[in-house]
Amino acid sequence: MRIYLYASHSVFQGKHMPDGAESIAGEKMTLESVSPKDAGTYTCTAANGNGSPVSNRIIVNIEYKPIVELEEVFVHTQAGNKVEIVCKVHGHPHPAVEWRKDGEVIKKDGERMKIHNFGNKYSLSIESVEREDYGSYSCQASNYLGSTTAVQEISGIG
């Protein structure tokens, strides 16, 4: 995939350009083999020596399949303890996230299980673990480009 940005001078807002430079001079800029890190707001400034320079902002979005990262992959606990499973989800367009236990979808908040979301951080907390809570939990993120699942095991001590 190639993206062409035409400008006399480009500066990536608050960061360096994809090649590491602070700015690029020229009539165009080409991003090759783009990745999510290339997304952002680019500012293009043109000056011809007459009058003030003119600037314009270009927003570049990179669409990609969801990426799911777990904070832990295995939790060893005992009945009565509180457990929280956390996954970080990235993707564009923004993925839909679903929690499952042993393959079965966990419905919204239950009496002991609570589902939380803050930005790209998703968590499932169990207030007081019971033996029936031991098993395989998965955080599944999906958008139209695909789906990714991360699995965490909760087991009992003793």
Side-chain angles (χ1 to χ4, degrees), residues 88-133:
K88 291 184 181 173
V89 176
H90 302 277
H92 188 78
H94 187 74
V97 176
E98 180 174 83
W99 286 97
R100 295 175 181 260
K101 179 188 182 284
D102 297 327
E104 296 293 319
V105 175
I106 298 172
K107 301 296 179 199
K108 291 288 181 192
D109 295 341
E111 198 170 298
R112 290 179 310 104
M113 287 190 187
K114 304 285 184 207
I115 297 171
H116 306 280
N117 168 235
F118 184 75
N120 67 343
K121 183 178 174 181
Y122 293 80
S123 66
L124 172 69
S125 60
I126 304 171
E127 284 303 315
S128 180
V129 173
E130 297 177 2
R131 286 188 173 273
E132 65 195 42
D133 297 322

Side-chain angles (χ1 to χ4, degrees), residues 2-3 6 14 21 27 33 62 88 92 97 112 120 124 140 150 156:
R2 284 184 164 202
I3 298 173
Y6 295 90
E27 293 181 8
S33 302
I62 309 296
K88 291 184 181 173
H92 188 78
V97 176
R112 290 179 310 104
N120 67 343
L124 172 69
Q140 180 176 342

Side-chain angles (χ1 to χ4, degrees), residues 5 8 14 24 27 30 35 40 47 50 54 60 74 86-87 93-94 105-106 110 123 133 135 143 146 148 155:
L5 300 177
S8 293
I24 296 174
E27 293 181 8
T30 304
S35 72
N50 293 328
V54 176
V60 175
F74 195 80
V86 178
C87 69
H94 187 74
V105 175
I106 298 172
S123 66
D133 297 322
N143 64 19
T148 304
S155 73

